[in-house]
Amino acid sequence: MTVTSPLTIRMHEADNVAIVANEGGLPAGTTLPGGLVLRDRVPQAHKVSLVDIAEGAPVIRYGVVIGTAVQALPAGSWVHERLLRMPEARSLEGLPIATVKPPAPEPLTGYTFEGYRNADGSVGTRNILAITQTVQCVAGVTEFAVQRIKAELLPRFPNVDDVVALEHTYGCGVAIDAPDAVIPIRTLRNISLNPNFGGEVMVVSLGCEKLQPERLLPPGSIPLIDERAVADVGTSAGTKLDVVCLQDDAHVGFMSMIESVMRQAEVHLERLNARRRETVPASELVVGVQCGGSDAFSGVTANPAVGFCTDLLVRAGATVMFSEVTEVRDGIDQLTARAATPDVAQAMIDQMAWYDAYLDRGRVDRSANTTPGNKKGGLSNIVEKAMGSIVKSGSVPISGVVAPGEKARQRGLLYAATPASDFICGTLQLAAGMNLHVFTTGRGTPYGLAEVPVIKVATRTELARRWHDLMDVNAGRIADGELTIEEAGWEMFRLMLDVASGHKKTWAEHWKLHNALVLFNPAPVT
């Protein structure tokens, strides 16, 4: 629905700015409800000053100071990034520690989905053969083999959803024993063991690379294959690493390599094809939430709805991960206050401190995060962006912290420390064990992952209308007055169960849109 009468949205009673909700914005001279007259044309999602703001005075949105005015801003002025001076980052000292003690929410019972139960106890939402690569050098060979597998083998295995190559950019130039070099290694290891891959691990290696298969997946890292599924296809169970090494003497010519990959893939496809979905509780969902191409509506519509859905998922016993260090850094006091224990609060502080130092080594700070699209969409700086991003985490206590590349080991709301880059964040959430992804966007992005379903949520009706076959949920209906945040949250919750069950495909799945895996490697490249 297009809003025709002037409409602004104010997030907190202390705010001295509001955003314009009308498609196309509002022209100068427009009289807002309450009598305020716009002095400037204000684009959609951008801020208007509700009162006179003196030079140097704070500009407040979400009840938080997002900057100070670099010049006087009379009431009715367009307030944008060039008119704000960003505040210093909140110190990591003297933070509130586990001070918010909300009453335990009522458990949400009776909700289920149809998933694939794995031998290690995890549950997949899809049944995929993933082929791991130890080095970028083999990517072309693996992709050639995957295309043949899809064309020649996959039709024989109707219970297998897809075959994907876990391509990445890690290579031999890395300083593999440097501090923090463990991050990309454990990321790739844990992605290979994602619940959507059914415990079937297959590796394509070059042979001379620094990251040898046995270092990537050492003995004991691969869970035992489900012996019932093994028995169904007459194969003996085991945990021996299945590696196709392209430099082996047995390979004479390119087609020899391809046929070797296909032979081994067929063994894994047979076992995966023997698996069946079964009814499991909603508590088996491991959901990663993320935003990209954000605008000022992100914190008004899509992210609050995701936050309400986060609370529903946690009440159902599920796991939800929110991430993006720089996009929550300015709300660190809110996060440490919501920590379930002082240890959880300290773990968050440690991750923030590590990332502050990482940025400092690169001679940048958190302000480098905001993009031209963010600013065009009304977000003046990273402080404002962070306030809108953090609401994806809902209101429940934060029960744990997952370091980059590590696997989540507990349920509830977790903070998975990742860079804010869409692709790196998604990759690290995959490593943490995500089996379903929710991605909100205001500017629009065709982002997707081959490894898990990605539910895309539009912040604005105009975007949902233009990208009608890319967006799965239109949260812009909240700003239009058609839905409440709670109703949108329930809609997402039910959609997640349908998608997890395979009853519905997301648009990204429909079009087979997916982005490359991007490993976070803070170590040097030699």
Side-chain angles (χ1 to χ4, degrees):
M1 179 181 73
T2 302
V3 178
T4 54
S5 58
L7 177 62
T8 59
I9 299 175
R10 184 185 187 194
M11 297 302 295
H12 189 278
E13 61 182 11
D15 292 356
N16 55 12
V17 293
I19 66 166
V20 168
N22 303 77
E23 288 185 22
L26 293 173
T30 299
T31 301
L32 302 180
L36 180 64
V37 178
L38 296 187
R39 298 172 61 91
D40 308 299
R41 179 189 175 275
V42 182
Q44 184 187 33
H46 281 248
K47 294 175 289 297
V48 56
S49 56
L50 301 176
V51 296
D52 292 337
I53 301 174
E55 180 180 348
V59 175
I60 303 171
R61 187 172 181 231
Y62 296 105
V64 171
V65 176
I66 62 171
T68 53
V70 299
Q71 65 184 51
L73 300 171
S77 298
W78 175 20
V79 180
H80 52 76
E81 74 277 3
R82 295 186 299 278
L83 299 177
L84 293 183
R85 183 177 294 108
M86 193 171 77
E88 293 295 319
R90 175 71 157 84
S91 170
L92 296 178
E93 301 291 332
L95 293 167
I97 303 295
T99 53
V100 176
K101 303 292 184 184
E106 182 181 354
L108 195 60
T109 59
Y111 290 93
T112 62
F113 69 97
E114 302 299 309
Y116 293 97
R117 177 75 69 179
N118 297 317
D120 65 356
S122 66
V123 173
T125 60
R126 295 293 183 269
N127 192 30
I128 296 171
L129 172 59
I131 302 178
T132 299
Q133 303 169 65
T134 55
V135 67
Q136 170 63 206
C137 308
V138 305
V141 174
T142 308
E143 181 58 28
F144 189 98
V146 165
Q147 293 307 314
R148 282 195 56 184
I149 293 167
K150 288 182 176 182
E152 299 172 31
L153 298 181
L154 194 57
R156 291 168 38 202
F157 302 101
N159 295 320
V160 180
D161 294 311
D162 203 358
V163 180
V164 300
L166 301 182
E167 182 186 350
H168 54 84
T169 54
Y170 203 68
C172 287
V174 297
I176 200 166
D177 293 313
D180 301 321
V182 67
I183 291 176
I185 297 172
R186 71 189 181 200
T187 300
L188 186 55
R189 176 185 304 145
N190 286 326
I191 288 176
S192 301
L193 303 174
N194 184 277
N196 283 2
F197 305 151
E200 297 293 331
V201 180
M202 178 179 170
V203 181
V204 176
S205 161
L206 183 59
C208 61
E209 63 270 28
K210 288 183 179 179
L211 182 56
Q212 290 288 301
E214 296 76 17
R215 181 165 183 173
L216 173 62
L217 291 155
S221 65
I222 304 175
L224 280 171
I225 295 168
D226 187 334
E227 302 215 14
R228 292 170 300 172
V230 169
D232 288 342
V233 295
T235 309
S236 57
T239 57
K240 185 177 182 298
L241 189 58
D242 182 6
V243 180
V244 174
C245 179
L246 302 188
Q247 290 177 349
D248 279 355
D249 293 341
H251 292 136
V252 179
F254 178 59
M255 280 304 150
S256 173
M257 302 174 189
I258 299 301
E259 288 162 6
S260 180
V261 174
M262 293 182 69
R263 258 193 322 271
Q264 294 309 113
E266 188 168 5
V267 174
H268 296 281
L269 287 168
E270 286 181 355
R271 288 200 287 256
L272 288 169
N273 196 57
R275 289 155 52 84
R276 297 293 183 272
R277 289 186 182 270
E278 59 184 86
T279 302
V280 296
S283 57
E284 299 296 348
L285 286 175
V286 182
V287 180
V289 299
Q290 189 189 168
C291 47
S294 300
D295 67 357
F297 276 102
S298 295
V300 177
T301 59
N303 290 350
V306 170
F308 184 84
C309 187
T310 291
D311 289 350
L312 294 177
L313 288 163
V314 173
R315 287 173 55 196
T319 302
V320 181
M321 296 178 288
F322 72 106
S323 299
E324 302 168 285
V325 174
T326 50
E327 295 188 13
V328 299
R329 173 64 175 82
D330 282 279
I332 182 60
D333 53 334
Q334 300 174 37
L335 300 182
T336 55
R338 284 173 55 199
T341 68
D343 285 346
V344 172
Q346 187 58 53
M348 281 190 283
I349 293 169
D350 292 345
Q351 290 297 329
M352 298 291 170
W354 184 92
Y355 212 86
D356 283 355
Y358 168 72
L359 292 178
D360 189 57
R361 289 198 302 273
R363 299 184 182 181
V364 297
D365 62 23
R366 72 203 198 286
S367 67
N369 171 278
T370 42
T371 67
N374 293 153
K375 294 173 181 177
K376 190 173 181 180
L379 293 173
S380 294
N381 56 36
I382 188 57
V383 183
E384 183 178 9
K385 188 177 180 182
M387 294 305 109
S389 174
I390 210 167
V391 296
K392 297 193 302 294
S393 66
S395 62
V396 296
I398 302 165
S399 58
V401 175
V402 183
E406 287 188 348
K407 181 179 174 63
R409 304 289 180 185
Q410 62 197 109
R411 297 181 191 270
L413 177 64
L414 307 179
Y415 176 63
T418 77
S421 161
D422 299 347
F423 326 110
I424 300 176
C425 177
T427 300
L428 288 170
Q429 289 185 340
L430 279 172
M434 169 175 71
N435 57 19
L436 186 67
H437 201 28
V438 178
F439 190 102
T440 69
T441 183
R443 302 297 298 166
T445 168
Y447 170 93
L449 293 171
E451 298 79 10
V452 298
V454 179
I455 295 172
K456 303 289 286 299
V457 184
T459 71
R460 298 175 296 121
T461 293
E462 189 267 341
L463 173 65
R465 184 174 60 246
R466 285 192 298 112
W467 287 25
H468 60 90
D469 52 2
L470 288 169
M471 297 291 117
D472 301 291
V473 178
N474 174 18
R477 291 172 294 165
I478 296 169
D480 297 341
E482 295 180 10
L483 275 184
T484 65
I485 288 171
E486 293 78 8
E487 288 167 341
W490 272 108
E491 182 179 304
M492 287 183 200
F493 179 75
R494 294 186 177 97
L495 177 61
M496 287 181 195
L497 297 177
D498 281 342
V499 169
S501 298
H503 297 156
K504 289 185 178 180
K505 281 190 175 183
T506 66
W507 279 115
E509 287 183 290
H510 174 81
W511 298 120
K512 299 189 182 303
L513 298 176
H514 64 269
N515 292 92
L517 300 176
V518 182
L519 301 181
F520 179 40
N521 181 23
V525 177
T526 60

